[in-house]
Amino acid sequence: MRKITIPLVQPTTLFVLTITMADAFKMVDLIMVMTTKGGPNNSTNLLMNHIYQTAFSYWDTGQASVLTICMLGFMMVVALVQFTTMDKRAYYEN
């Protein structure tokens, strides 16, 4: 299991983890549908919902752009860590 199955499943697992992490940040539609602008006392206010409210409710596009770039940087760092921690030996051992 450790020498055959896990190395063969690692690329698929990496792809699924990266896509799932990116989808976790895109929760604006669920929050808008299920609550009224973030629930009572902003209890469900996630980062993307905060960026959406900053850009389109308060019309502060500069701060929304900075928050979006910070989120992009964080996502790139997490994806880079995921790609670098993947075991590369599985591809080169034949």
Side-chain angles (χ1 to χ4, degrees):
M1 178 82 171
R2 185 173 50 97
K3 292 188 178 200
I4 296 173
T5 305
I6 292 175
L8 290 174
V9 176
Q10 255 182 344
T12 305
T13 305
L14 176 69
F15 176 74
V16 169
L17 284 175
T18 305
I19 296 299
T20 304
M21 185 201 63
D23 284 342
F25 283 102
K26 300 187 292 186
M27 298 298 270
V28 175
D29 54 348
L30 292 175
I31 292 172
M32 291 299 209
V33 169
M34 296 184 72
T35 65
T36 306
K37 296 183 182 178
N41 201 15
N42 290 328
S43 60
T44 58
N45 196 7
L46 300 175
L47 181 60
M48 281 303 296
N49 191 29
H50 180 69
I51 292 171
Y52 177 81
Q53 285 181 349
T54 302
F56 297 111
S57 296
Y58 307 128
W59 293 104
D60 191 3
T61 56
Q63 183 178 3
S65 298
V66 169
L67 288 171
T68 304
I69 290 173
C70 289
M71 183 192 69
L72 175 68
F74 173 73
M75 288 176 62
M76 288 176 63
V77 166
V78 170
L80 182 68
V81 167
Q82 286 178 347
F83 280 113
T84 56
T85 57
M86 188 175 78
D87 189 16
K88 303 281 190 233
R89 291 177 292 147
Y91 294 115
Y92 300 117
E93 291 178 2
N94 288 328

Coordinates of all heavy atoms in Angstrom, one line a residue:
M1 N 0.8 -1.2 0.0 CA 0.0 0.0 0.0 C 0.9 1.3 0.0 O 0.6 2.2 -0.7 CB -0.9 -0.1 1.2 CG -1.8 1.1 1.4 SD -3.2 0.9 0.4 CE -4.2 2.2 1.0
R2 N 1.9 1.3 0.9 CA 2.7 2.5 1.0 C 3.6 2.7 -0.2 O 3.9 3.8 -0.6 CB 3.6 2.3 2.3 CG 4.4 3.5 2.6 CD 5.1 3.4 3.9 NE 5.8 2.2 4.1 CZ 7.1 2.0 3.9 NH1 7.8 3.0 3.5 NH2 7.7 0.8 4.1
K3 N 4.0 1.6 -0.9 CA 5.0 1.8 -2.0 C 4.3 1.8 -3.4 O 4.9 2.2 -4.3 CB 6.0 0.6 -1.9 CG 6.9 0.7 -0.8 CD 8.0 -0.3 -0.9 CE 8.9 -0.1 0.3 NZ 10.2 -0.7 0.1
I4 N 3.1 1.3 -3.5 CA 2.4 1.3 -4.8 C 1.2 2.2 -4.9 O 1.1 3.1 -5.7 CB 2.0 -0.2 -5.1 CG1 3.3 -1.0 -5.3 CG2 1.2 -0.2 -6.4 CD1 3.0 -2.5 -5.5
T5 N 0.3 2.0 -4.0 CA -1.0 2.7 -4.1 C -0.9 4.2 -3.8 O -1.4 5.0 -4.6 CB -2.1 2.0 -3.2 OG1 -2.1 0.6 -3.5 CG2 -3.4 2.6 -3.4
I6 N -0.3 4.5 -2.7 CA -0.2 5.9 -2.3 C 0.6 6.7 -3.3 O 0.1 7.8 -3.7 CB 0.4 6.0 -0.8 CG1 -0.7 5.4 0.1 CG2 0.7 7.5 -0.5 CD1 -0.2 5.4 1.6
P7 N 1.7 6.3 -3.8 CA 2.4 7.1 -4.8 C 1.6 7.3 -6.1 O 1.7 8.3 -6.8 CB 3.7 6.4 -5.1 CG 4.0 5.6 -3.9 CD 2.6 5.2 -3.3
L8 N 0.8 6.3 -6.5 CA 0.0 6.4 -7.7 C -1.2 7.3 -7.5 O -1.7 8.0 -8.4 CB -0.5 5.0 -8.1 CG 0.6 4.2 -8.7 CD1 0.1 2.8 -9.0 CD2 1.3 4.8 -9.9
V9 N -1.7 7.5 -6.3 CA -2.9 8.3 -6.0 C -2.5 9.7 -5.6 O -3.3 10.6 -5.7 CB -3.7 7.6 -4.9 CG1 -4.9 8.4 -4.5 CG2 -4.2 6.2 -5.3
Q10 N -1.2 10.0 -5.4 CA -0.8 11.3 -4.9 C -1.1 12.4 -5.9 O -1.6 13.5 -5.5 CB 0.7 11.3 -4.6 CG 0.9 11.3 -3.1 CD 2.4 11.3 -2.8 OE1 3.2 11.1 -3.7 NE2 2.7 11.7 -1.6
P11 N -0.9 12.3 -7.2 CA -1.2 13.4 -8.1 C -2.7 13.7 -8.1 O -3.1 14.9 -8.1 CB -0.7 12.9 -9.5 CG 0.3 11.9 -9.2 CD -0.1 11.2 -7.9
T12 N -3.5 12.7 -8.1 CA -5.0 13.0 -8.1 C -5.4 13.6 -6.8 O -6.2 14.6 -6.7 CB -5.7 11.7 -8.3 OG1 -5.3 11.0 -9.5 CG2 -7.2 11.9 -8.3
T13 N -4.8 13.2 -5.7 CA -5.1 13.8 -4.4 C -4.7 15.2 -4.3 O -5.4 16.1 -3.8 CB -4.4 13.0 -3.2 OG1 -4.8 11.6 -3.4 CG2 -4.8 13.5 -1.9
L14 N -3.5 15.5 -4.9 CA -3.0 16.9 -4.9 C -3.9 17.8 -5.7 O -4.3 18.9 -5.3 CB -1.6 16.9 -5.5 CG -1.0 18.3 -5.7 CD1 -0.7 19.0 -4.3 CD2 0.2 18.2 -6.5
F15 N -4.4 17.3 -6.9 CA -5.3 18.1 -7.7 C -6.6 18.3 -7.0 O -7.1 19.5 -6.9 CB -5.6 17.3 -9.0 CG -6.6 18.0 -9.9 CD1 -6.2 19.2 -10.6 CD2 -7.8 17.5 -10.0 CE1 -7.2 19.8 -11.4 CE2 -8.8 18.1 -10.8 CZ -8.4 19.3 -11.5
V16 N -7.2 17.3 -6.3 CA -8.4 17.5 -5.6 C -8.3 18.4 -4.4 O -9.2 19.3 -4.2 CB -9.0 16.1 -5.2 CG1 -10.1 16.2 -4.2 CG2 -9.4 15.2 -6.4
L17 N -7.2 18.3 -3.7 CA -7.0 19.2 -2.6 C -6.9 20.7 -3.1 O -7.4 21.6 -2.4 CB -5.7 18.8 -1.8 CG -5.9 17.6 -0.9 CD1 -4.6 17.3 -0.3 CD2 -6.9 17.9 0.2
T18 N -6.1 20.9 -4.1 CA -6.0 22.3 -4.7 C -7.3 22.8 -5.1 O -7.6 24.0 -4.8 CB -4.9 22.3 -5.8 OG1 -3.7 21.7 -5.3 CG2 -4.6 23.7 -6.3
I19 N -8.1 22.1 -5.9 CA -9.4 22.6 -6.4 C -10.3 22.8 -5.2 O -11.1 23.8 -5.2 CB -9.9 21.6 -7.4 CG1 -9.0 21.5 -8.6 CG2 -11.3 21.9 -7.8 CD1 -8.8 22.8 -9.4
T20 N -10.3 21.9 -4.3 CA -11.2 22.0 -3.1 C -10.9 23.3 -2.3 O -11.8 24.0 -1.8 CB -11.2 20.8 -2.2 OG1 -11.5 19.7 -3.0 CG2 -12.2 20.9 -1.1
M21 N -9.6 23.5 -2.1 CA -9.2 24.7 -1.4 C -9.6 26.0 -2.2 O -10.1 27.0 -1.5 CB -7.7 24.8 -1.2 CG -7.3 25.9 -0.4 SD -5.5 26.4 -0.6 CE -5.5 26.9 -2.2
A22 N -9.5 26.0 -3.5 CA -9.9 27.2 -4.2 C -11.5 27.3 -4.2 O -12.0 28.5 -4.1 CB -9.5 27.0 -5.7
D23 N -12.2 26.2 -4.2 CA -13.7 26.3 -4.1 C -14.1 26.8 -2.7 O -15.2 27.3 -2.6 CB -14.3 25.0 -4.4 CG -14.3 24.7 -5.9 OD1 -14.1 25.7 -6.7 OD2 -14.5 23.5 -6.3
A24 N -13.3 26.5 -1.7 CA -13.7 26.9 -0.3 C -13.7 28.4 -0.2 O -14.5 28.9 0.6 CB -12.7 26.3 0.7
F25 N -13.0 29.1 -1.0 CA -13.0 30.6 -0.9 C -14.1 31.2 -1.7 O -14.4 32.4 -1.6 CB -11.7 31.1 -1.5 CG -10.5 31.0 -0.5 CD1 -9.6 30.0 -0.7 CD2 -10.4 31.8 0.6 CE1 -8.5 29.8 0.2 CE2 -9.4 31.7 1.4 CZ -8.4 30.7 1.3
K26 N -14.8 30.4 -2.5 CA -15.9 31.0 -3.4 C -17.3 30.6 -2.7 O -18.1 30.0 -3.3 CB -15.8 30.4 -4.8 CG -14.5 30.7 -5.5 CD -14.5 30.3 -6.9 CE -14.5 28.8 -7.0 NZ -14.4 28.3 -8.3
M27 N -17.5 31.1 -1.6 CA -18.8 30.8 -0.9 C -19.7 32.0 -0.8 O -20.6 32.0 0.0 CB -18.5 30.4 0.5 CG -17.6 29.1 0.6 SD -18.5 27.7 -0.1 CE -19.3 27.1 1.2
V28 N -19.6 33.0 -1.7 CA -20.4 34.2 -1.6 C -21.9 33.8 -2.0 O -22.8 34.3 -1.3 CB -19.9 35.3 -2.6 CG1 -20.8 36.5 -2.7 CG2 -18.5 35.7 -2.2
D29 N -22.1 33.0 -3.0 CA -23.5 32.7 -3.4 C -24.2 32.0 -2.3 O -25.4 32.3 -2.0 CB -23.5 31.9 -4.7 CG -22.6 30.7 -4.6 OD1 -21.8 30.5 -3.6 OD2 -22.7 29.8 -5.5
L30 N -23.6 31.0 -1.6 CA -24.3 30.3 -0.5 C -24.6 31.2 0.6 O -25.7 31.1 1.2 CB -23.4 29.1 0.0 CG -23.2 28.0 -1.0 CD1 -22.3 27.0 -0.4 CD2 -24.6 27.4 -1.3
I31 N -23.7 32.1 1.0 CA -24.0 33.0 2.1 C -25.1 34.0 1.7 O -26.0 34.3 2.5 CB -22.7 33.8 2.5 CG1 -21.7 32.8 3.1 CG2 -23.0 34.9 3.5 CD1 -20.4 33.4 3.3
M32 N -25.1 34.5 0.5 CA -26.2 35.4 0.1 C -27.5 34.8 0.0 O -28.5 35.4 0.3 CB -25.8 36.0 -1.3 CG -24.7 37.0 -1.2 SD -25.0 38.3 -0.1 CE -24.0 39.5 -0.8
V33 N -27.6 33.5 -0.4 CA -28.9 32.8 -0.5 C -29.4 32.4 0.8 O -30.6 32.5 1.1 CB -28.7 31.6 -1.5 CG1 -29.9 30.7 -1.4 CG2 -28.5 32.0 -2.9
M34 N -28.5 31.9 1.7 CA -29.0 31.3 3.0 C -29.2 32.3 4.1 O -29.9 32.1 5.0 CB -28.1 30.2 3.4 CG -28.1 29.0 2.4 SD -27.1 27.6 2.9 CE -28.1 27.0 4.2
T35 N -28.4 33.4 4.0 CA -28.5 34.4 5.1 C -28.7 35.8 4.5 O -28.7 36.0 3.3 CB -27.2 34.5 5.9 OG1 -26.2 34.9 5.1 CG2 -26.9 33.2 6.5
T36 N -29.0 36.8 5.3 CA -29.2 38.1 4.8 C -27.9 38.9 5.0 O -27.6 39.4 6.1 CB -30.3 38.8 5.6 OG1 -31.5 38.0 5.4 CG2 -30.6 40.2 5.0
K37 N -27.1 39.0 4.0 CA -25.8 39.7 4.0 C -24.9 39.3 5.1 O -24.3 40.1 5.8 CB -26.1 41.2 4.1 CG -26.8 41.8 3.0 CD -27.0 43.3 3.1 CE -27.8 43.8 1.9 NZ -28.0 45.2 2.0
G38 N -24.8 38.0 5.3 CA -23.8 37.5 6.3 C -24.3 37.0 7.6 O -23.6 36.8 8.6
G39 N -25.6 36.9 7.7 CA -26.2 36.3 8.9 C -26.3 37.4 10.1 O -25.9 38.5 9.9
P40 N -26.8 36.9 11.2 CA -26.9 37.9 12.3 C -25.5 38.3 12.8 O -24.6 37.4 13.1 CB -27.7 37.1 13.4 CG -27.5 35.7 13.0 CD -27.3 35.6 11.5
N41 N -25.2 39.5 12.9 CA -24.0 40.1 13.4 C -22.8 39.6 12.6 O -21.7 39.4 13.2 CB -23.8 39.8 14.9 CG -22.8 40.7 15.6 OD1 -22.5 41.7 15.1 ND2 -22.4 40.3 16.8
N42 N -22.9 39.4 11.3 CA -21.9 39.0 10.4 C -21.2 37.7 10.9 O -20.0 37.5 10.8 CB -20.8 40.1 10.3 CG -21.3 41.2 9.5 OD1 -22.1 41.1 8.6 ND2 -20.8 42.4 9.8
S43 N -22.0 36.7 11.4 CA -21.4 35.5 11.9 C -20.9 34.6 10.8 O -20.1 33.7 11.0 CB -22.5 34.8 12.7 OG -23.6 34.5 11.9
T44 N -21.4 34.7 9.5 CA -21.0 33.9 8.4 C -20.2 34.7 7.4 O -20.2 34.4 6.2 CB -22.2 33.2 7.7 OG1 -23.1 34.3 7.3 CG2 -22.9 32.3 8.7
N45 N -19.6 35.8 7.8 CA -18.9 36.6 6.9 C -17.5 36.1 6.6 O -16.6 36.2 7.4 CB -18.8 38.0 7.5 CG -18.4 39.1 6.4 OD1 -18.3 38.7 5.2 ND2 -18.1 40.3 6.9
L46 N -17.4 35.4 5.5 CA -16.1 34.8 5.0 C -15.3 35.9 4.2 O -15.8 37.0 4.0 CB -16.3 33.6 4.2 CG -17.0 32.4 4.9 CD1 -17.3 31.3 3.9 CD2 -16.3 31.9 6.1
L47 N -14.1 35.5 3.8 CA -13.2 36.5 3.2 C -13.8 37.0 1.8 O -13.9 38.2 1.5 CB -11.8 35.9 2.9 CG -10.8 36.8 2.2 CD1 -10.6 38.1 3.0 CD2 -9.5 36.1 2.0
M48 N -14.3 36.0 1.0 CA -14.9 36.4 -0.3 C -16.1 37.3 -0.1 O -16.4 38.2 -0.9 CB -15.2 35.2 -1.2 CG -13.9 34.7 -1.8 SD -13.1 35.9 -2.9 CE -14.3 36.2 -4.1
N49 N -16.9 36.9 0.9 CA -18.1 37.7 1.2 C -17.8 39.1 1.6 O -18.4 40.1 1.3 CB -19.0 37.0 2.2 CG -20.4 37.6 2.3 OD1 -20.9 38.2 1.4 ND2 -21.0 37.6 3.5
H50 N -16.7 39.2 2.4 CA -16.2 40.5 2.9 C -15.7 41.3 1.7 O -16.0 42.6 1.6 CB -15.1 40.3 3.9 CG -14.6 41.6 4.4 ND1 -15.3 42.5 5.2 CD2 -13.4 42.2 4.3 CE1 -14.6 43.6 5.5 NE2 -13.4 43.4 4.9
I51 N -15.0 40.7 0.8 CA -14.5 41.4 -0.4 C -15.7 41.9 -1.3 O -15.7 43.0 -1.7 CB -13.6 40.5 -1.2 CG1 -12.3 40.3 -0.4 CG2 -13.3 41.1 -2.6 CD1 -11.4 39.2 -1.0
Y52 N -16.7 41.0 -1.4 CA -17.9 41.4 -2.2 C -18.6 42.6 -1.6 O -19.0 43.5 -2.3 CB -18.8 40.2 -2.3 CG -20.1 40.5 -3.0 CD1 -20.2 40.5 -4.4 CD2 -21.3 40.8 -2.3 CE1 -21.3 40.8 -5.0 CE2 -22.4 41.1 -2.9 CZ -22.5 41.1 -4.3 OH -23.6 41.3 -5.0
Q53 N -18.8 42.6 -0.2 CA -19.5 43.7 0.4 C -18.6 45.0 0.4 O -19.2 46.0 0.2 CB -19.7 43.3 1.9 CG -20.9 42.4 2.1 CD -21.1 42.1 3.5 OE1 -20.3 42.4 4.4 NE2 -22.2 41.4 3.8
T54 N -17.3 44.8 0.5 CA -16.4 46.0 0.4 C -16.5 46.6 -1.0 O -16.6 47.8 -1.1 CB -15.0 45.6 0.8 OG1 -15.0 45.0 2.1 CG2 -14.1 46.8 0.8
A55 N -16.5 45.8 -2.0 CA -16.5 46.3 -3.3 C -17.8 46.9 -3.8 O -17.9 47.9 -4.4 CB -16.0 45.3 -4.3
F56 N -18.9 46.2 -3.5 CA -20.2 46.5 -4.1 C -21.2 47.1 -3.1 O -22.1 47.8 -3.6 CB -20.8 45.3 -4.7 CG -20.0 44.7 -5.9 CD1 -19.3 43.5 -5.7 CD2 -19.8 45.4 -7.0 CE1 -18.6 43.0 -6.8 CE2 -19.0 45.0 -8.1 CZ -18.4 43.8 -7.9
S57 N -21.0 47.0 -1.8 CA -21.9 47.7 -0.9 C -21.3 49.0 -0.4 O -22.0 50.0 -0.3 CB -22.2 46.8 0.3 OG -22.9 45.7 -0.1
Y58 N -20.0 49.0 -0.1 CA -19.3 50.2 0.4 C -18.6 51.0 -0.8 O -18.1 52.1 -0.5 CB -18.3 49.9 1.5 CG -19.0 49.1 2.6 CD1 -18.4 47.9 3.0 CD2 -20.1 49.5 3.2 CE1 -18.9 47.2 4.0 CE2 -20.7 48.8 4.2 CZ -20.1 47.6 4.6 OH -20.7 46.9 5.6
W59 N -18.5 50.4 -2.0 CA -17.9 51.0 -3.1 C -16.4 51.4 -2.8 O -15.9 52.4 -3.3 CB -18.6 52.2 -3.7 CG -20.0 51.8 -4.2 CD1 -21.2 52.0 -3.6 CD2 -20.2 51.1 -5.4 NE1 -22.1 51.4 -4.4 CE2 -21.6 50.9 -5.5 CE3 -19.4 50.7 -6.5 CZ2 -22.2 50.3 -6.6 CZ3 -20.0 50.0 -7.5 CH2 -21.4 49.8 -7.6
D60 N -15.7 50.6 -2.1 CA -14.3 50.8 -1.8 C -13.5 49.7 -2.6 O -13.1 48.7 -2.1 CB -14.0 50.6 -0.3 CG -12.6 51.1 0.1 OD1 -11.9 51.5 -0.8 OD2 -12.3 50.9 1.3
T61 N -13.4 50.0 -3.9 CA -12.8 49.0 -4.8 C -11.3 48.9 -4.5 O -10.7 47.8 -4.8 CB -13.0 49.4 -6.2 OG1 -12.5 50.7 -6.5 CG2 -14.5 49.3 -6.6
G62 N -10.6 49.9 -4.0 CA -9.2 49.8 -3.7 C -8.9 48.8 -2.6 O -8.0 47.9 -2.8
Q63 N -9.7 48.8 -1.5 CA -9.5 47.9 -0.4 C -9.9 46.5 -0.9 O -9.2 45.5 -0.5 CB -10.3 48.3 0.8 CG -10.0 47.4 2.0 CD -10.8 47.8 3.2 OE1 -11.6 48.8 3.2 NE2 -10.6 47.1 4.3
A64 N -10.9 46.4 -1.7 CA -11.4 45.1 -2.2 C -10.3 44.5 -3.1 O -10.0 43.2 -3.0 CB -12.7 45.2 -2.9
S65 N -9.6 45.3 -3.9 CA -8.5 44.8 -4.7 C -7.4 44.3 -3.9 O -6.8 43.3 -4.2 CB -8.1 45.9 -5.7 OG -9.1 46.3 -6.5
V66 N -7.0 45.0 -2.9 CA -5.9 44.6 -2.0 C -6.2 43.3 -1.3 O -5.4 42.4 -1.2 CB -5.6 45.7 -1.0 CG1 -4.6 45.2 0.1 CG2 -5.0 46.9 -1.7
L67 N -7.5 43.2 -0.8 CA -7.9 41.9 -0.2 C -7.8 40.8 -1.2 O -7.4 39.7 -0.8 CB -9.3 42.1 0.4 CG -9.3 43.0 1.7 CD1 -10.8 43.2 2.0 CD2 -8.6 42.3 2.8
T68 N -8.3 41.0 -2.4 CA -8.2 40.0 -3.4 C -6.8 39.5 -3.7 O -6.5 38.3 -3.9 CB -9.0 40.4 -4.7 OG1 -10.3 40.9 -4.3 CG2 -9.0 39.3 -5.7
I69 N -5.9 40.5 -3.8 CA -4.5 40.1 -4.1 C -3.9 39.4 -3.0 O -3.1 38.4 -3.2 CB -3.7 41.4 -4.5 CG1 -4.2 41.9 -5.9 CG2 -2.2 41.1 -4.5 CD1 -3.6 43.2 -6.3
C70 N -4.2 39.8 -1.7 CA -3.7 39.0 -0.6 C -4.3 37.6 -0.5 O -3.5 36.7 -0.2 CB -4.1 39.8 0.7 SG -3.2 41.3 1.0
M71 N -5.5 37.4 -0.9 CA -6.1 36.1 -0.9 C -5.5 35.3 -2.0 O -5.2 34.1 -1.8 CB -7.6 36.2 -1.2 CG -8.3 34.8 -1.1 SD -10.0 34.8 -1.7 CE -9.7 35.2 -3.5
L72 N -5.2 35.9 -3.2 CA -4.5 35.2 -4.2 C -3.1 34.8 -3.8 O -2.7 33.6 -4.1 CB -4.4 36.1 -5.5 CG -3.6 35.5 -6.7 CD1 -4.4 34.3 -7.3 CD2 -3.4 36.6 -7.7
G73 N -2.4 35.6 -3.1 CA -1.1 35.3 -2.6 C -1.1 34.1 -1.6 O -0.3 33.2 -1.7
F74 N -2.1 34.2 -0.8 CA -2.2 33.1 0.2 C -2.5 31.8 -0.5 O -1.9 30.7 -0.2 CB -3.3 33.4 1.2 CG -3.7 32.3 2.1 CD1 -2.8 31.9 3.2 CD2 -4.8 31.5 2.0 CE1 -3.1 30.9 4.0 CE2 -5.1 30.5 2.8 CZ -4.2 30.2 3.8
M75 N -3.4 31.8 -1.5 CA -3.8 30.6 -2.2 C -2.6 30.1 -3.0 O -2.3 28.8 -3.1 CB -4.9 30.8 -3.1 CG -6.2 31.0 -2.4 SD -7.6 31.4 -3.5 CE -7.7 30.0 -4.5
M76 N -1.8 31.0 -3.6 CA -0.6 30.5 -4.3 C 0.5 29.9 -3.4 O 1.1 28.9 -3.7 CB 0.0 31.7 -5.0 CG -0.8 32.1 -6.2 SD -0.2 33.6 -7.1 CE 1.4 33.1 -7.6
V77 N 0.6 30.4 -2.2 CA 1.6 29.9 -1.2 C 1.1 28.5 -0.8 O 1.9 27.5 -0.7 CB 1.7 30.8 0.0 CG1 2.4 30.1 1.2 CG2 2.5 32.0 -0.4
V78 N -0.2 28.3 -0.5 CA -0.7 27.0 -0.1 C -0.6 26.0 -1.3 O -0.1 24.8 -1.1 CB -2.2 27.1 0.4 CG1 -2.8 25.7 0.5 CG2 -2.2 27.9 1.6
A79 N -0.8 26.4 -2.5 CA -0.7 25.5 -3.6 C 0.8 25.2 -3.8 O 1.1 24.0 -4.2 CB -1.3 26.2 -4.9
L80 N 1.7 26.1 -3.7 CA 3.1 25.8 -3.8 C 3.6 24.8 -2.8 O 4.4 23.9 -3.1 CB 3.9 27.2 -3.7 CG 5.4 27.0 -3.9 CD1 5.7 26.7 -5.3 CD2 6.1 28.3 -3.5
V81 N 3.1 25.0 -1.5 CA 3.5 24.0 -0.5 C 2.9 22.7 -0.8 O 3.6 21.6 -0.6 CB 2.9 24.5 0.9 CG1 3.0 23.4 1.9 CG2 3.7 25.7 1.4
Q82 N 1.7 22.6 -1.3 CA 1.2 21.3 -1.7 C 2.0 20.7 -2.8 O 2.2 19.5 -2.8 CB -0.3 21.4 -2.2 CG -1.2 21.7 -1.0 CD -2.7 21.9 -1.5 OE1 -2.9 22.1 -2.7 NE2 -3.6 21.8 -0.6
F83 N 2.4 21.4 -3.8 CA 3.1 20.9 -4.9 C 4.6 20.5 -4.5 O 5.1 19.5 -5.0 CB 3.2 21.9 -6.1 CG 2.0 21.9 -6.9 CD1 1.2 23.0 -7.0 CD2 1.6 20.8 -7.7 CE1 0.0 23.0 -7.7 CE2 0.5 20.8 -8.5 CZ -0.3 22.0 -8.5
T84 N 5.2 21.2 -3.6 CA 6.5 20.9 -3.2 C 6.6 19.7 -2.3 O 7.6 19.0 -2.2 CB 7.3 22.1 -2.6 OG1 6.5 22.6 -1.5 CG2 7.5 23.2 -3.7
T85 N 5.5 19.5 -1.5 CA 5.6 18.4 -0.5 C 5.2 17.1 -1.2 O 5.4 16.0 -0.6 CB 4.6 18.7 0.6 OG1 3.3 18.9 0.1 CG2 5.1 19.8 1.4
M86 N 4.7 17.1 -2.4 CA 4.4 15.9 -3.1 C 5.6 15.1 -3.4 O 6.7 15.7 -3.8 CB 3.6 16.2 -4.4 CG 3.1 14.9 -5.1 SD 2.1 15.3 -6.5 CE 3.4 15.7 -7.7
D87 N 5.6 13.8 -3.2 CA 6.8 13.0 -3.4 C 7.1 12.9 -4.9 O 6.3 12.2 -5.6 CB 6.5 11.6 -2.8 CG 7.8 10.8 -2.7 OD1 8.9 11.4 -2.9 OD2 7.7 9.6 -2.5
K88 N 8.2 13.4 -5.3 CA 8.6 13.4 -6.8 C 9.2 12.1 -7.2 O 9.3 11.7 -8.3 CB 9.5 14.5 -7.1 CG 9.0 15.9 -6.8 CD 8.1 16.4 -7.8 CE 7.8 17.9 -7.6 NZ 6.4 18.2 -7.5
R89 N 9.7 11.3 -6.2 CA 10.4 10.0 -6.5 C 9.4 9.0 -7.2 O 9.9 8.2 -7.9 CB 10.9 9.4 -5.2 CG 12.1 10.2 -4.6 CD 12.6 9.6 -3.3 NE 11.5 9.8 -2.4 CZ 11.2 9.0 -1.4 NH1 11.9 7.9 -1.3 NH2 10.3 9.3 -0.5
A90 N 8.1 9.1 -7.0 CA 7.2 8.2 -7.5 C 7.2 8.2 -9.1 O 7.0 7.3 -9.7 CB 5.8 8.4 -7.0
Y91 N 7.5 9.4 -9.6 CA 7.5 9.6 -11.1 C 8.8 9.1 -11.7 O 8.9 8.7 -12.9 CB 7.4 11.0 -11.5 CG 6.0 11.5 -11.1 CD1 5.9 12.5 -10.1 CD2 4.8 11.0 -11.6 CE1 4.6 13.0 -9.7 CE2 3.6 11.5 -11.3 CZ 3.5 12.5 -10.3 OH 2.3 12.9 -10.0
Y92 N 9.9 9.1 -11.0 CA 11.2 8.8 -11.5 C 11.7 7.4 -11.3 O 12.7 7.0 -11.9 CB 12.3 9.8 -11.0 CG 11.9 11.2 -11.4 CD1 11.7 12.2 -10.4 CD2 11.8 11.6 -12.7 CE1 11.3 13.5 -10.8 CE2 11.5 12.9 -13.1 CZ 11.2 13.8 -12.1 OH 10.9 15.1 -12.4
E93 N 11.0 6.7 -10.4 CA 11.4 5.3 -10.1 C 10.7 4.4 -11.1 O 9.5 4.3 -11.1 CB 11.1 5.0 -8.7 CG 11.9 5.7 -7.7 CD 11.5 5.3 -6.2 OE1 10.6 4.5 -6.1 OE2 12.2 5.8 -5.3
N94 N 11.4 3.7 -11.9 CA 10.7 2.8 -12.8 C 11.4 1.4 -12.7 O 12.5 1.2 -12.5 CB 10.9 3.2 -14.3 CG 10.0 4.4 -14.5 OD1 8.9 4.5 -13.9 ND2 10.4 5.3 -15.4

